[in-house]
Coordinates of all heavy atoms in Angstrom, one line a residue:
M932 N 84.4 69.3 100.3 CA 84.1 70.5 101.1 C 85.4 71.0 101.8 O 85.7 72.1 101.8 CB 83.1 70.1 102.2 CG 82.6 71.3 103.1 SD 81.8 72.6 102.1 CE 81.3 73.7 103.3
R933 N 86.2 69.9 102.3 CA 87.4 70.3 103.0 C 88.4 71.0 101.9 O 89.1 71.9 102.2 CB 88.1 69.1 103.6 CG 89.3 69.4 104.3 CD 89.9 68.2 105.0 NE 89.1 67.7 106.1 CZ 89.3 66.6 106.7 NH1 90.3 65.8 106.4 NH2 88.5 66.2 107.7
A934 N 88.4 70.4 100.7 CA 89.3 71.0 99.7 C 88.9 72.4 99.4 O 89.8 73.3 99.2 CB 89.2 70.1 98.4
V935 N 87.6 72.7 99.4 CA 87.2 74.1 99.1 C 87.7 75.0 100.2 O 88.2 76.1 99.9 CB 85.6 74.1 99.0 CG1 85.2 75.5 98.9 CG2 85.2 73.3 97.8
I936 N 87.6 74.6 101.4 CA 88.0 75.4 102.5 C 89.5 75.6 102.4 O 90.0 76.8 102.6 CB 87.6 74.8 103.9 CG1 86.1 74.8 104.1 CG2 88.3 75.5 105.0 CD1 85.6 73.9 105.2
L937 N 90.3 74.6 102.1 CA 91.7 74.7 102.0 C 92.1 75.7 100.9 O 93.0 76.5 101.0 CB 92.4 73.4 101.8 CG 92.5 72.5 103.0 CD1 93.0 71.1 102.7 CD2 93.4 73.1 104.1
L938 N 91.4 75.5 99.7 CA 91.7 76.4 98.6 C 91.3 77.9 99.0 O 92.1 78.8 98.6 CB 90.8 76.0 97.4 CG 91.4 74.8 96.6 CD1 90.4 74.4 95.5 CD2 92.8 75.1 96.0
T939 N 90.3 78.1 99.7 CA 89.9 79.4 100.1 C 91.0 80.0 101.0 O 91.4 81.1 100.9 CB 88.5 79.4 100.8 OG1 87.6 78.8 100.0 CG2 88.1 80.8 101.2
L940 N 91.4 79.2 102.0 CA 92.5 79.6 102.8 C 93.7 80.0 102.0 O 94.4 81.0 102.3 CB 92.8 78.6 103.9 CG 91.9 78.5 105.1 CD1 92.2 77.3 105.9 CD2 92.0 79.8 105.9
A941 N 94.1 79.1 101.1 CA 95.3 79.4 100.3 C 95.2 80.7 99.5 O 96.1 81.5 99.5 CB 95.5 78.2 99.4
G942 N 94.0 80.9 99.0 CA 93.7 82.1 98.3 C 93.8 83.3 99.1 O 94.4 84.4 98.7
T943 N 93.3 83.2 100.3 CA 93.4 84.3 101.3 C 94.9 84.7 101.6 O 95.3 85.8 101.6 CB 92.7 84.0 102.6 OG1 91.3 83.7 102.2 CG2 92.7 85.2 103.5
V944 N 95.7 83.6 101.8 CA 97.1 83.8 102.1 C 97.8 84.4 100.9 O 98.5 85.4 101.1 CB 97.8 82.5 102.5 CG1 99.3 82.6 102.6 CG2 97.2 82.0 103.8
L945 N 97.5 83.9 99.8 CA 98.2 84.5 98.6 C 97.8 85.9 98.4 O 98.6 86.8 98.0 CB 97.7 83.6 97.3 CG 98.6 82.4 97.0 CD1 98.0 81.7 95.9 CD2 100.0 82.8 96.8
A946 N 96.5 86.2 98.6 CA 96.0 87.6 98.4 C 96.7 88.5 99.3 O 97.1 89.6 99.0 CB 94.5 87.6 98.6
S947 N 96.9 88.1 100.6 CA 97.5 89.0 101.5 C 99.0 89.2 101.2 O 99.6 90.2 101.4 CB 97.4 88.4 103.0 OG 98.0 87.2 103.1
V948 N 99.6 88.1 100.6 CA 101.0 88.3 100.2 C 101.1 89.3 99.0 O 102.0 90.2 99.0 CB 101.6 86.9 99.8 CG1 103.0 87.1 99.0 CG2 101.8 86.0 101.0
C949 N 100.2 89.1 98.1 CA 100.2 90.0 96.9 C 99.9 91.5 97.3 O 100.2 92.4 96.6 CB 99.2 89.6 95.9 SG 99.7 88.0 95.1
H950 N 99.2 91.7 98.4 CA 98.8 93.0 98.9 C 99.7 93.5 100.0 O 99.3 94.1 100.9 CB 97.3 93.1 99.2 CG 96.4 92.9 98.1 ND1 96.2 93.8 97.1 CD2 95.7 91.8 97.7 CE1 95.4 93.4 96.2 NE2 95.1 92.1 96.5
A951 N 100.9 93.0 99.9 CA 101.9 93.3 101.0 C 102.3 94.8 101.0 O 103.1 95.2 101.9 CB 103.1 92.4 100.9
G952 N 101.8 95.5 100.1 CA 102.1 97.0 100.1 C 103.3 97.4 99.2 O 103.9 98.4 99.5
E953 N 103.5 96.6 98.2 CA 104.6 97.0 97.3 C 104.0 97.3 95.9 O 103.2 96.6 95.4 CB 105.6 95.8 97.2 CG 106.8 96.2 96.3 CD 107.8 95.1 96.3 OE1 108.5 94.8 97.3 OE2 108.0 94.5 95.2
H954 N 104.4 98.4 95.4 CA 103.9 98.9 94.1 C 105.1 99.1 93.1 O 105.9 99.9 93.4 CB 103.1 100.2 94.2 CG 102.0 100.1 95.2 ND1 100.7 99.8 94.9 CD2 102.0 100.3 96.5 CE1 100.0 99.8 96.0 NE2 100.7 100.1 97.0
R955 N 105.1 98.3 92.1 CA 106.2 98.4 91.1 C 105.8 99.4 90.0 O 104.7 99.2 89.4 CB 106.6 97.1 90.6 CG 107.2 96.1 91.6 CD 107.4 94.7 91.1 NE 108.6 94.7 90.2 CZ 109.9 94.6 90.7 NH1 110.1 94.6 92.0 NH2 110.9 94.6 89.9
I956 N 106.7 100.3 89.8 CA 106.4 101.3 88.8 C 107.6 101.3 87.8 O 108.7 101.5 88.1 CB 106.3 102.7 89.4 CG1 105.2 102.7 90.5 CG2 106.1 103.8 88.4 CD1 105.5 103.5 91.7
G957 N 107.2 101.0 86.6 CA 108.3 100.9 85.5 C 108.6 102.3 85.0 O 107.8 103.2 85.1
M958 N 109.8 102.4 84.5 CA 110.3 103.6 83.8 C 110.9 103.2 82.5 O 111.9 102.5 82.4 CB 111.4 104.3 84.7 CG 111.0 104.4 86.2 SD 112.4 104.5 87.2 CE 112.7 106.3 87.3
A959 N 110.1 103.6 81.4 CA 110.6 103.3 80.1 C 109.8 104.1 79.1 O 108.7 104.5 79.4 CB 110.4 101.8 79.8
G960 N 110.4 104.4 78.0 CA 109.7 105.1 76.9 C 109.2 106.5 77.4 O 108.1 106.9 77.0
M961 N 110.0 107.1 78.2 CA 109.7 108.5 78.7 C 108.4 108.5 79.5 O 107.6 109.5 79.5 CB 109.6 109.5 77.6 CG 110.8 109.7 76.7 SD 112.2 110.4 77.7 CE 113.5 110.3 76.5
A962 N 108.1 107.4 80.2 CA 106.9 107.4 81.0 C 107.1 106.5 82.2 O 107.9 105.5 82.2 CB 105.7 106.9 80.1
Y963 N 106.3 106.8 83.3 CA 106.2 105.8 84.4 C 105.0 105.0 84.1 O 104.0 105.5 83.6 CB 105.9 106.6 85.7 CG 107.0 107.5 86.1 CD1 107.0 108.9 85.8 CD2 108.2 107.1 86.8 CE1 107.9 109.8 86.2 CE2 109.2 107.9 87.2 CZ 109.1 109.3 86.9 OH 110.1 110.2 87.3
A964 N 105.0 103.7 84.4 CA 103.9 102.9 84.2 C 103.7 101.9 85.4 O 104.6 101.2 85.7 CB 104.1 102.0 82.9
P965 N 102.6 102.0 86.1 CA 101.5 102.9 85.8 C 101.8 104.4 86.2 O 102.7 104.6 87.0 CB 100.3 102.4 86.6 CG 101.0 101.8 87.8 CD 102.3 101.2 87.3
A966 N 101.1 105.3 85.6 CA 101.3 106.7 85.9 C 100.4 107.2 87.0 O 100.5 108.3 87.4 CB 101.0 107.5 84.6
M967 N 99.5 106.3 87.4 CA 98.5 106.7 88.5 C 98.6 105.5 89.5 O 98.3 104.4 89.1 CB 97.1 106.8 87.9 CG 96.1 107.1 89.0 SD 96.3 108.8 89.6 CE 95.3 108.7 91.2
I968 N 99.1 105.8 90.7 CA 99.3 104.8 91.7 C 98.5 105.1 92.9 O 98.5 106.2 93.4 CB 100.8 104.7 92.1 CG1 101.7 104.4 90.9 CG2 101.0 103.7 93.2 CD1 102.4 105.5 90.3
E969 N 97.8 104.1 93.4 CA 97.0 104.2 94.6 C 97.7 103.3 95.7 O 97.9 102.1 95.4 CB 95.6 103.8 94.5 CG 94.8 104.8 93.7 CD 93.3 104.7 93.9 OE1 92.9 104.3 95.0 OE2 92.5 104.9 92.9
A970 N 98.1 103.9 96.8 CA 98.9 103.2 97.8 C 98.3 103.5 99.2 O 97.4 104.4 99.3 CB 100.3 103.6 97.8
K971 N 98.7 102.8 100.2 CA 98.3 103.1 101.5 C 99.5 103.4 102.3 O 100.7 103.1 102.0 CB 97.7 101.8 102.1 CG 96.3 101.5 101.5 CD 95.8 100.2 102.0 CE 95.4 100.2 103.5 NZ 94.7 99.0 104.0
V972 N 99.3 104.2 103.4 CA 100.4 104.5 104.3 C 101.2 103.3 104.7 O 100.6 102.3 105.1 CB 99.9 105.3 105.5 CG1 101.0 105.5 106.5 CG2 99.3 106.6 105.1
G973 N 102.5 103.3 104.6 CA 103.3 102.2 104.9 C 103.7 101.3 103.7 O 104.6 100.5 103.8
D974 N 103.0 101.6 102.6 CA 103.4 100.8 101.4 C 104.7 101.4 100.8 O 105.2 102.5 101.1 CB 102.3 101.1 100.3 CG 101.0 100.3 100.5 OD1 101.0 99.5 101.6 OD2 100.1 100.4 99.7
T975 N 105.3 100.5 100.0 CA 106.6 100.9 99.4 C 106.4 101.0 97.9 O 105.8 100.1 97.2 CB 107.7 99.8 99.7 OG1 107.9 99.8 101.1 CG2 109.0 100.2 99.0
L976 N 106.9 102.0 97.3 CA 106.9 102.2 95.8 C 108.3 101.7 95.4 O 109.3 102.1 95.9 CB 106.7 103.7 95.4 CG 105.5 104.4 96.1 CD1 105.4 105.8 95.6 CD2 104.2 103.6 95.8
V977 N 108.3 100.9 94.3 CA 109.6 100.4 93.8 C 109.6 100.9 92.3 O 108.8 100.5 91.5 CB 109.6 98.9 93.8 CG1 111.0 98.4 93.3 CG2 109.4 98.3 95.2
F978 N 110.6 101.8 92.1 CA 110.7 102.4 90.7 C 111.8 101.5 90.0 O 112.9 101.5 90.4 CB 111.2 103.8 90.8 CG 110.1 104.7 91.4 CD1 110.0 105.0 92.7 CD2 109.1 105.3 90.5 CE1 109.0 105.8 93.3 CE2 108.1 106.1 91.1 CZ 108.0 106.3 92.4
V979 N 111.4 100.9 88.9 CA 112.3 100.0 88.2 C 112.6 100.6 86.8 O 111.7 100.8 86.0 CB 111.6 98.6 88.0 CG1 112.5 97.7 87.2 CG2 111.1 98.1 89.3
N980 N 113.8 100.9 86.6 CA 114.2 101.5 85.3 C 114.5 100.3 84.3 O 115.6 99.7 84.4 CB 115.5 102.4 85.5 CG 115.8 103.1 84.2 OD1 115.2 102.8 83.1 ND2 116.7 104.1 84.3
G981 N 113.5 100.1 83.5 CA 113.7 99.0 82.5 C 114.1 99.7 81.1 O 114.0 99.0 80.1
D982 N 114.6 100.8 81.2 CA 114.9 101.6 79.9 C 116.4 101.4 79.6 O 117.2 100.8 80.4 CB 114.6 103.0 80.1 CG 114.1 103.7 78.9 OD1 114.4 103.2 77.8 OD2 113.5 104.8 78.9
T983 N 116.8 102.0 78.5 CA 118.2 102.0 78.1 C 118.9 103.3 78.5 O 120.1 103.5 78.1 CB 118.4 101.8 76.6 OG1 117.6 102.8 75.9 CG2 117.9 100.4 76.2
Q984 N 118.2 104.2 79.2 CA 118.8 105.5 79.6 C 118.4 105.7 81.1 O 117.5 105.1 81.6 CB 118.3 106.6 78.7 CG 116.8 106.7 78.7 CD 116.3 107.8 77.7 OE1 116.9 108.9 77.6 NE2 115.3 107.5 76.9
A985 N 119.1 106.6 81.7 CA 118.9 107.0 83.1 C 117.6 107.8 83.3 O 117.2 108.5 82.4 CB 120.1 107.7 83.6
H986 N 117.0 107.5 84.4 CA 115.8 108.3 84.8 C 116.0 108.8 86.2 O 117.0 108.6 86.8 CB 114.5 107.5 84.6 CG 114.2 107.3 83.1 ND1 113.8 108.3 82.3 CD2 114.1 106.1 82.4 CE1 113.6 107.7 81.1 NE2 113.8 106.4 81.1
N987 N 114.9 109.3 86.8 CA 115.0 109.9 88.1 C 113.6 110.0 88.7 O 112.6 109.9 88.0 CB 115.6 111.3 88.0 CG 115.3 112.2 89.2 OD1 114.5 113.1 89.2 ND2 116.1 111.9 90.2
V988 N 113.6 110.0 90.0 CA 112.3 110.2 90.7 C 112.5 111.4 91.6 O 113.2 111.4 92.5 CB 112.0 109.0 91.6 CG1 110.8 109.2 92.5 CG2 111.7 107.7 90.8
L989 N 111.8 112.5 91.2 CA 111.8 113.7 91.9 C 110.4 114.1 92.4 O 109.4 114.0 91.5 CB 112.3 114.9 91.0 CG 112.3 116.3 91.6 CD1 113.3 116.4 92.7 CD2 112.6 117.3 90.5
I990 N 110.2 114.3 93.6 CA 108.9 114.7 94.2 C 109.0 116.1 94.8 O 109.8 116.3 95.7 CB 108.4 113.7 95.3 CG1 108.3 112.3 94.6 CG2 107.1 114.2 95.8 CD1 108.1 111.2 95.6
A991 N 108.3 117.1 94.2 CA 108.4 118.5 94.6 C 107.2 118.9 95.4 O 107.1 120.0 95.9 CB 108.6 119.4 93.4
T992 N 106.2 118.0 95.5 CA 105.0 118.3 96.3 C 105.3 118.6 97.7 O 106.0 117.8 98.4 CB 104.0 117.1 96.2 OG1 103.8 116.8 94.9 CG2 102.7 117.5 96.9
V993 N 104.8 119.8 98.2 CA 105.1 120.2 99.6 C 104.7 119.1 100.6 O 103.6 118.5 100.5 CB 104.4 121.5 100.0 CG1 104.6 121.8 101.4 CG2 104.9 122.6 99.1
G994 N 105.6 118.7 101.5 CA 105.3 117.7 102.5 C 105.8 116.3 102.1 O 105.8 115.4 102.9
F995 N 106.1 116.1 100.8 CA 106.5 114.8 100.3 C 107.8 114.9 99.5 O 108.3 114.0 99.0 CB 105.5 114.3 99.3 CG 104.2 113.9 100.0 CD1 103.1 114.8 100.0 CD2 104.0 112.6 100.6 CE1 101.9 114.4 100.6 CE2 102.8 112.3 101.2 CZ 101.8 113.2 101.2
S996 N 108.4 116.1 99.5 CA 109.5 116.3 98.6 C 110.8 115.5 98.9 O 111.2 115.3 100.0 CB 109.9 117.8 98.6 OG 110.3 118.2 99.9
T997 N 111.2 114.9 97.8 CA 112.5 114.1 97.9 C 113.0 113.9 96.5 O 112.3 114.2 95.5 CB 112.2 112.7 98.5 OG1 113.4 112.0 98.8 CG2 111.3 111.8 97.6
D998 N 114.3 113.5 96.4 CA 114.9 113.3 95.1 C 115.7 112.0 95.3 O 116.6 111.9 96.1 CB 115.8 114.5 94.7 CG 116.5 114.3 93.4 OD1 116.4 113.2 92.8 OD2 117.0 115.3 92.9
L999 N 115.3 111.0 94.5 CA 116.0 109.7 94.7 C 117.2 109.6 93.8 O 117.9 108.6 93.8 CB 115.0 108.5 94.3 CG 113.7 108.4 95.2 CD1 112.9 107.2 94.8 CD2 114.1 108.4 96.7
G1000 N 117.5 110.7 93.1 CA 118.8 110.7 92.4 C 118.7 110.1 91.0 O 117.7 109.5 90.6
K1001 N 119.9 110.1 90.3 CA 119.9 109.5 89.0 C 119.8 108.0 89.1 O 120.5 107.4 89.9 CB 121.3 109.9 88.4 CG 121.5 109.3 87.0 CD 122.8 109.9 86.4 CE 123.2 109.2 85.1 NZ 124.4 108.4 85.4
Q1002 N 119.0 107.5 88.3 CA 118.7 106.0 88.3 C 119.1 105.4 87.0 O 118.5 105.6 86.0 CB 117.3 105.8 88.7 CG 117.0 104.3 89.0 CD 115.5 104.1 89.5 OE1 114.9 105.0 90.1 NE2 115.0 103.0 89.2
D1003 N 120.2 104.6 87.0 CA 120.7 104.0 85.8 C 119.8 102.9 85.3 O 119.1 102.2 86.1 CB 122.1 103.4 86.1 CG 123.2 104.6 86.2 OD1 123.0 105.6 85.6 OD2 124.1 104.4 87.0
P1004 N 119.9 102.6 84.0 CA 119.1 101.5 83.4 C 119.4 100.2 84.2 O 120.5 99.9 84.6 CB 119.7 101.3 82.0 CG 120.2 102.7 81.7 CD 120.7 103.2 83.0
G1005 N 118.3 99.4 84.4 CA 118.4 98.2 85.1 C 118.4 98.3 86.6 O 118.4 97.2 87.3
S1006 N 118.4 99.5 87.2 CA 118.4 99.7 88.6 C 117.0 100.0 89.1 O 116.1 100.3 88.4 CB 119.4 100.8 89.0 OG 118.9 102.0 88.6
Q1007 N 116.9 99.9 90.4 CA 115.6 100.2 91.0 C 115.8 101.0 92.3 O 116.8 100.8 93.0 CB 114.7 99.0 91.2 CG 115.2 98.0 92.2 CD 114.3 96.8 92.3 OE1 113.8 96.2 91.3 NE2 114.0 96.3 93.5
T1008 N 114.9 101.8 92.7 CA 114.9 102.6 93.9 C 113.6 102.4 94.6 O 112.6 102.1 94.0 CB 115.2 104.1 93.7 OG1 114.2 104.6 92.8 CG2 116.5 104.4 93.2
T1009 N 113.6 102.5 95.9 CA 112.4 102.3 96.7 C 112.1 103.6 97.5 O 113.0 104.3 97.9 CB 112.5 101.1 97.7 OG1 113.5 101.3 98.5 CG2 112.7 99.8 96.8
L1010 N 110.8 103.7 97.7 CA 110.3 104.9 98.6 C 109.1 104.3 99.3 O 108.1 103.9 98.8 CB 109.9 106.0 97.6 CG 109.3 107.2 98.3 CD1 110.4 107.9 99.2 CD2 108.7 108.2 97.3
T1011 N 109.2 104.4 100.7 CA 108.1 104.0 101.5 C 107.3 105.2 101.9 O 107.9 106.3 102.3 CB 108.6 103.3 102.8 OG1 109.4 102.2 102.4 CG2 107.5 102.9 103.7
V1012 N 106.0 105.2 101.7 CA 105.2 106.4 101.9 C 104.7 106.3 103.4 O 104.2 105.4 103.9 CB 103.9 106.4 100.9 CG1 104.4 106.8 99.6 CG2 103.2 105.1 100.9
R1013 N 104.9 107.5 104.0 CA 104.7 107.6 105.5 C 103.5 108.3 105.9 O 103.2 108.4 107.1 CB 106.0 108.2 106.1 CG 107.3 107.5 105.9 CD 107.3 106.2 106.7 NE 108.5 105.4 106.6 CZ 108.6 104.2 106.8 NH1 107.6 103.5 107.2 NH2 109.8 103.6 106.7
K1014 N 102.9 109.0 105.0 CA 101.6 109.7 105.3 C 100.7 109.7 104.1 O 101.1 109.6 103.0 CB 102.0 111.1 105.8 CG 102.7 112.0 104.9 CD 102.9 113.3 105.5 CE 103.6 114.3 104.5 NZ 103.7 115.6 105.1
S1015 N 99.4 110.0 104.4 CA 98.4 110.1 103.4 C 98.5 111.4 102.6 O 99.0 112.4 103.2 CB 97.0 109.8 103.9 OG 96.7 110.8 104.9
G1016 N 98.0 111.4 101.4 CA 98.0 112.6 100.6 C 98.2 112.2 99.2 O 98.3 111.1 98.8
T1017 N 98.3 113.3 98.4 CA 98.6 113.1 96.9 C 99.8 113.8 96.6 O 100.0 115.0 97.0 CB 97.4 113.6 96.1 OG1 96.2 112.9 96.5 CG2 97.6 113.4 94.6
F1018 N 100.7 113.2 95.8 CA 101.9 113.9 95.4 C 102.3 113.5 94.0 O 101.8 112.4 93.5 CB 103.1 113.6 96.3 CG 103.5 112.2 96.5 CD1 104.4 111.6 95.6 CD2 103.1 111.4 97.5 CE1 104.8 110.3 95.8 CE2 103.5 110.1 97.8 CZ 104.3 109.5 96.9
D1019 N 103.0 114.3 93.3 CA 103.4 114.1 91.9 C 104.9 113.6 91.8 O 105.7 114.2 92.5 CB 103.1 115.3 91.1 CG 101.7 115.6 90.9 OD1 100.9 114.7 90.5 OD2 101.3 116.7 91.2
V1020 N 105.1 112.7 91.0 CA 106.5 112.3 90.7 C 106.9 112.8 89.3 O 106.1 112.7 88.4 CB 106.5 110.7 90.7 CG1 107.9 110.2 90.3 CG2 106.1 110.1 92.1
E1021 N 108.0 113.3 89.2 CA 108.5 113.7 87.9 C 110.0 113.3 87.8 O 110.7 113.0 88.7 CB 108.4 115.2 87.7 CG 109.0 116.0 88.8 CD 108.5 117.5 88.8 OE1 108.9 118.2 87.8 OE2 107.8 117.9 89.7
C1022 N 110.4 113.1 86.5 CA 111.8 112.8 86.2 C 112.5 114.1 85.9 O 112.1 114.9 85.1 CB 111.8 111.9 85.0 SG 113.5 111.6 84.4
A1023 N 113.6 114.4 86.7 CA 114.3 115.6 86.6 C 115.1 115.7 85.3 O 115.5 116.7 84.9 CB 115.2 115.8 87.8
I1024 N 115.2 114.5 84.7 CA 116.0 114.4 83.4 C 115.1 114.7 82.2 O 115.5 115.3 81.2 CB 116.7 113.1 83.3 CG1 117.6 112.9 84.5 CG2 117.5 113.0 82.0 CD1 118.1 111.4 84.7
H1025 N 113.9 114.1 82.3 CA 113.0 114.2 81.1 C 111.7 115.0 81.5 O 110.9 114.4 82.4 CB 112.6 112.8 80.6 CG 113.8 112.0 80.3 ND1 114.3 111.0 81.0 CD2 114.7 112.2 79.2 CE1 115.4 110.5 80.5 NE2 115.7 111.2 79.4
E1026 N 111.5 116.1 81.0 CA 110.4 117.0 81.4 C 109.0 116.4 81.3 O 108.2 116.7 82.1 CB 110.5 118.2 80.5 CG 109.9 119.5 81.1 CD 110.1 120.7 80.2 OE1 111.2 120.8 79.6 OE2 109.2 121.5 80.1
G1027 N 108.8 115.5 80.4 CA 107.5 115.0 80.2 C 107.1 113.8 81.0 O 105.9 113.3 80.9
M1028 N 108.0 113.3 81.8 CA 107.7 112.1 82.6 C 107.0 112.5 84.0 O 107.6 113.2 84.8 CB 109.0 111.3 82.9 CG 109.5 110.5 81.8 SD 111.0 109.6 82.3 CE 110.3 108.3 83.4
H1029 N 105.8 112.0 84.1 CA 105.0 112.3 85.3 C 104.2 111.1 85.8 O 103.8 110.3 85.0 CB 104.0 113.4 85.1 CG 104.6 114.8 84.8 ND1 105.1 115.6 85.8 CD2 104.8 115.5 83.7 CE1 105.6 116.7 85.3 NE2 105.4 116.6 84.0
A1030 N 104.1 111.1 87.1 CA 103.2 110.1 87.7 C 102.5 110.7 88.9 O 103.1 111.7 89.5 CB 103.9 108.8 88.1
R1031 N 101.4 110.2 89.3 CA 100.7 110.8 90.5 C 100.5 109.6 91.4 O 100.0 108.5 91.0 CB 99.4 111.4 90.1 CG 98.5 111.9 91.3 CD 97.6 112.9 90.9 NE 98.3 114.2 90.7 CZ 97.6 115.4 90.5 NH1 96.3 115.4 90.4 NH2 98.3 116.5 90.3
V1032 N 100.7 109.9 92.7 CA 100.5 108.9 93.8 C 99.5 109.4 94.8 O 99.7 110.5 95.3 CB 101.9 108.5 94.5 CG1 101.7 107.4 95.5 CG2 102.9 108.1 93.5
V1033 N 98.5 108.6 95.0 CA 97.4 108.9 96.0 C 97.7 107.9 97.1 O 97.6 106.7 96.9 CB 96.0 108.8 95.4 CG1 95.0 109.0 96.5 CG2 95.9 109.7 94.2
V1034 N 98.0 108.4 98.3 CA 98.2 107.6 99.5 C 97.0 107.7 100.4 O 96.7 108.8 100.9 CB 99.5 108.0 100.2 CG1 99.8 107.0 101.3 CG2 100.7 108.1 99.2
R1035 N 96.4 106.6 100.7 CA 95.3 106.5 101.6 C 95.8 106.2 103.0 O 96.8 105.5 103.1 CB 94.2 105.5 101.1 CG 93.9 105.6 99.6 CD 92.4 105.9 99.4 NE 92.1 106.0 98.0 CZ 91.8 107.1 97.3 NH1 91.8 108.3 98.0 NH2 91.6 107.2 96.1
P1036 N 95.0 106.6 104.0 CA 95.4 106.3 105.4 C 95.5 104.8 105.7 O 94.7 104.1 105.0 CB 94.3 107.0 106.2 CG 93.6 107.9 105.4 CD 93.8 107.4 104.0
Ligands
CU596 CU1 113.4 110.2 82.7

């Protein structure tokens, strides 16, 4: 019984660590993966360029607009979301690269 309780507690702690509010988004093959991200206010998006070419994170949605600049292969950039809403991420270098982020309160 005690072991079950301890395992449950450990699971709860692990779960809270895993849900610490970080979302990793890969950039490779002309795509963000995942391309649909659900986050909460205060969460951090980590864009990881695992490709052999540079990419970019450009947000043109009103109220969320930002440009994280050219991102070289092997590098990562972070963006902490400060308010709820939905915005689109695009790569300024490659026209077809898109992702959508839904931020809940
Ligand atoms: Cu790109």
Side-chain angles (χ1 to χ4, degrees):
M932 187 61 175
R933 183 178 290 173
V935 171
I936 292 169
L937 284 175
L938 281 175
T939 304
L940 279 173
T943 305
V944 170
L945 276 177
S947 60
V948 168
C949 291
H950 293 284
E953 185 177 288
H954 306 267
R955 292 177 77 80
I956 301 140
M958 309 156 91
M961 301 295 177
Y963 298 99
M967 179 71 198
I968 299 105
E969 287 198 35
K971 288 173 69 175
V972 172
D974 285 359
T975 299
L976 310 180
V977 182
F978 293 91
V979 182
N980 188 348
D982 213 342
T983 54
Q984 59 185 316
H986 290 293
N987 164 253
V988 171
L989 175 69
I990 300 166
T992 306
V993 174
F995 292 93
S996 59
T997 190
D998 184 348
L999 300 186
K1001 178 172 167 252
Q1002 190 173 330
D1003 289 326
S1006 69
Q1007 63 182 46
T1008 53
T1009 60
L1010 176 69
T1011 300
V1012 287
R1013 298 289 181 200
K1014 61 178 181 179
S1015 59
T1017 299
F1018 60 85
D1019 291 310
V1020 174
E1021 53 194 292
C1022 175
I1024 302 168
H1025 305 107
E1026 204 175 320
M1028 280 181 73
H1029 291 282
R1031 175 157 287 185
V1032 181
V1033 177
V1034 185
R1035 312 239 181 253

